[in-house]
């Protein structure tokens, strides 16, 4: 197997304001665009040729990754003029593939952080003779996901929409967003219209008698679709809980990129990342958070499980927990922003304007 398709066209609406100026796969996680981790892991598994299926802010990808040679890859880019869904996006790039009809093609969703054994998924596909093989993972609460029951041999029996009642939860296995397709199956997807692999392609293949194989891999898996999940994924990469050969430094409690400045008495823990050109002042305490390039954290600020956007500023003694601060936003001194707060790009919050507790 030498080629793959990466689906990176989504608008990342659940991640806003992080994705106002930046497509979701290009938001930094552990110091580099998240997509870098996926590309590096694919290369480590033996992939050489990757096609990026882009759409939203498509112009951002190629200037950063170029032809892929810096990562040991050959990367091509195909842009959807209109959103085509997962299946439509896969079919839209098929002409760039070099594989023969029976060859395997690896496909990744661009927002999943996983420790999946990619070679094992390909080996499962080839040894079972499947038309499509799916990475499945087990979750404790499957209600938010589509369920994928399999028989004793791993053969997929059905694709079930998000269960609404306890009786509908027939398995804890879900579609984990990585696939191996027989190339001929890709060519059979309708061209030029939106297609969902989950709702149309996979059920259609099953009803036609095709062989869909599931491989349960219960290593690290995280959907980075929400700000809280994205922050956690970045921290897990830094801590070494999620594997990636692309983390720019040793795994540990903190990752400070080379041009960042951090005061000697500032405390950074829990997988915190401080990006290029960012500044963390004296007495600041930051746990499990991402400080993007050029951001400024003023003295005594306390930041937990949060993401601070590019060139944003957090004022003295402000306390942020589970918060996302958009690019260029300014949080004045003595504010308190708690779980779920999202401050939009370039917004300005005056000193002491927002609190969840007494100011005494």
């Amino acid at each position: 197997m030498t080629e793959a398709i990466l689906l990176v066209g989504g608008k990342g609406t659940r991640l806003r304001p992080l994705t106002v100026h930046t497509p979701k796969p290009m938001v930094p996680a552990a110091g580099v665009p998240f997509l870098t981790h996926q590309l590096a892991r694919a290369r480590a598994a033996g992939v050489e040729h990757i096609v990026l299926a882009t759409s939203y802010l498509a112009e951002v990808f190629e200037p950063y990754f170029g032809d892929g040679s810096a990562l040991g890859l050959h990367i091509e880019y195909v842009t959807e003029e209109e959103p085509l869904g997962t299946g439509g996006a896969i079919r839209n790039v098929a002409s760039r593939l070099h594989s023969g009809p029976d060859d395997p093609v690896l496909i990744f969703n661009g927002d999943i952080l996983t420790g999946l054994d990619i070679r094992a998924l390909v080996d499962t596909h080839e040894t079972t003779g499947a038309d499509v093989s799916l990475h499945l993972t087990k979750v404790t609460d499957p209600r938010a996901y589509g369920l994928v029951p399999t028989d004793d041999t791993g053969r997929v029996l059905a694709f079930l929409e998000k269960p609404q009642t306890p009786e509908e939860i027939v398995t804890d296995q879900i579609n984990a967003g990585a696939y191996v397709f027989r190339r001929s199956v890709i060519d059979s997807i309708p061209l030029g219209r939106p297609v969902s692999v989950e709702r149309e392609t996979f059920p259609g293949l099953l009803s036609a008698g095709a062989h869909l194989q599931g491989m349960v891999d219960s290593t690290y898996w995280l959907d980075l679709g929400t700000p809280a999940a994205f922050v956690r994924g970045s921290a897990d990469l830094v801590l070494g809980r999620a594997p990636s050969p692309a983390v720019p430094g040793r795994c540990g409690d903190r990752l400070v990129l080379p041009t960042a400045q951090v005061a000697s008495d500032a405390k950074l823990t829990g997988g915190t990342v401080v990006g290029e050109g960012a500044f963390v002042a004296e007495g600041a305490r930051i746990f499990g958070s991402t400080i993007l390039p050029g951001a400024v954290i003023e003295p005594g600020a306390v930041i937990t499980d949060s993401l601070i956007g590019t060139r944003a500023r957090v004022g003295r003694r402000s306390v942020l927990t589970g918060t996302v601060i958009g690019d260029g936003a300014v949080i004045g001194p003595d504010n308190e922003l708690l779980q779920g707060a999202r401050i939009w790009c370039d917004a300005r919050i005056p000193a002491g304007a927002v609190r969840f507790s007494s100011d005494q």
Side-chain angles (χ1 to χ4, degrees), residues 31 255-262 273-281 291-297 308-313:
L255 174 64
V256 179
L257 273 68
T259 60
Q261 299 180 57
V262 177
V273 181
V274 182
E276 298 277 0
F279 176 73
V280 179
I291 313 301
L292 291 186
V296 174
I297 311 302
I308 312 303
T310 302
R311 303 178 312 281
R313 179 179 288 267

Side-chain angles (χ1 to χ4, degrees), residues 93-105:
V93 307
S95 63
R96 302 294 185 94
L97 298 174
H98 306 151
S99 306
D102 290 326
D103 290 339
V105 178

Side-chain angles (χ1 to χ4, degrees), residues 2-314:
T2 61
E3 60 184 350
I5 298 169
L6 261 133
L7 304 174
V8 293
K11 290 185 176 181
T13 51
R14 291 185 296 159
L15 275 178
R16 288 171 75 88
L18 293 179
T19 51
V20 171
H21 304 300
T22 307
K24 177 168 52 177
M26 296 299 287
V27 176
V32 296
F34 173 66
L35 179 56
T36 309
H37 299 290
Q38 290 188 304
L39 293 171
R41 292 200 72 246
R43 182 66 191 96
V47 174
E48 297 171 359
H49 176 223
I50 291 185
V51 185
L52 296 188
T54 67
S55 179
Y56 177 65
L57 297 175
E59 67 277 7
V60 171
F61 294 93
E62 189 166 2
Y64 188 91
F65 291 107
D67 63 2
S69 56
L71 291 169
L73 292 163
H74 172 51
I75 298 177
E76 295 188 67
Y77 305 83
V78 177
T79 301
E80 300 169 28
E81 300 306 324
E82 297 291 337
L84 294 171
T86 47
I90 292 166
R91 181 65 179 88
N92 192 51
V93 307
S95 63
R96 302 294 185 94
L97 298 174
H98 306 151
S99 306
D102 290 326
D103 290 339
V105 178
L106 183 67
I107 298 171
F108 286 121
N109 281 344
D111 53 3
I112 301 295
L113 177 59
T114 176
L116 167 68
D117 185 337
I118 297 170
R119 286 296 335 168
L121 181 62
V122 177
D123 291 345
T124 295
H125 178 80
E126 293 180 330
T127 57
T128 60
D131 296 296
V132 178
S133 297
L134 299 88
H135 171 208
L136 306 179
T137 193
K138 294 177 179 288
V139 293
T140 53
D141 184 359
R143 289 176 297 178
Y145 304 96
L147 308 184
V148 186
T150 54
D151 67 15
D152 292 342
T153 69
R155 190 158 181 157
V156 174
L157 300 173
F159 291 89
L160 307 174
E161 287 301 308
K162 297 174 183 177
Q164 304 300 310
T165 65
E167 293 74 28
E168 292 177 313
I169 302 176
V170 297
T171 181
D172 58 358
Q173 296 175 176
I174 66 165
N175 177 357
Y179 319 110
V180 180
F181 273 64
R182 188 189 301 271
R183 165 62 194 275
S184 58
V185 174
I186 294 176
D187 292 334
S188 72
I189 297 172
L191 181 63
R193 68 168 177 85
V195 179
S196 165
V197 291
E198 299 86 356
R199 294 181 177 85
E200 181 176 344
T201 304
F202 292 159
L205 287 168
L206 270 188
S207 64
H211 180 176
L212 276 69
Q213 185 73 21
M215 187 193 85
V216 177
D217 182 305
S218 297
T219 54
Y220 185 97
W221 184 87
L222 186 64
D223 177 350
L224 300 184
T226 66
F230 198 96
V231 170
R232 190 165 99 238
S234 177
D236 285 347
L237 283 161
V238 175
L239 292 166
R241 295 172 179 165
S244 170
V247 176
R250 290 183 180 179
C251 291
D253 230 18
R254 56 191 265 175
L255 174 64
V256 179
L257 273 68
T259 60
Q261 299 180 57
V262 177
S264 59
D265 67 341
K267 188 174 183 181
L268 311 178
T269 57
T272 287
V273 181
V274 182
E276 298 277 0
F279 176 73
V280 179
E282 61 271 13
R285 289 179 289 149
I286 308 176
F287 177 85
S289 297
T290 295
I291 313 301
L292 291 186
V296 174
I297 311 302
E298 294 186 359
V302 180
I303 301 172
T304 303
D305 298 336
S306 297
L307 192 146
I308 312 303
T310 302
R311 303 178 312 281
R313 179 179 288 267
V314 177

Side-chain angles (χ1 to χ4, degrees), residues 315-340:
R316 292 171 178 263
R317 298 174 301 277
S318 282
V319 176
L320 279 60
T321 302
T323 299
V324 174
I325 308 300
D327 297 340
V330 176
I331 310 302
D334 299 308
N335 281 289
E336 184 183 35
L337 303 175
L338 299 186
Q339 209 69 42

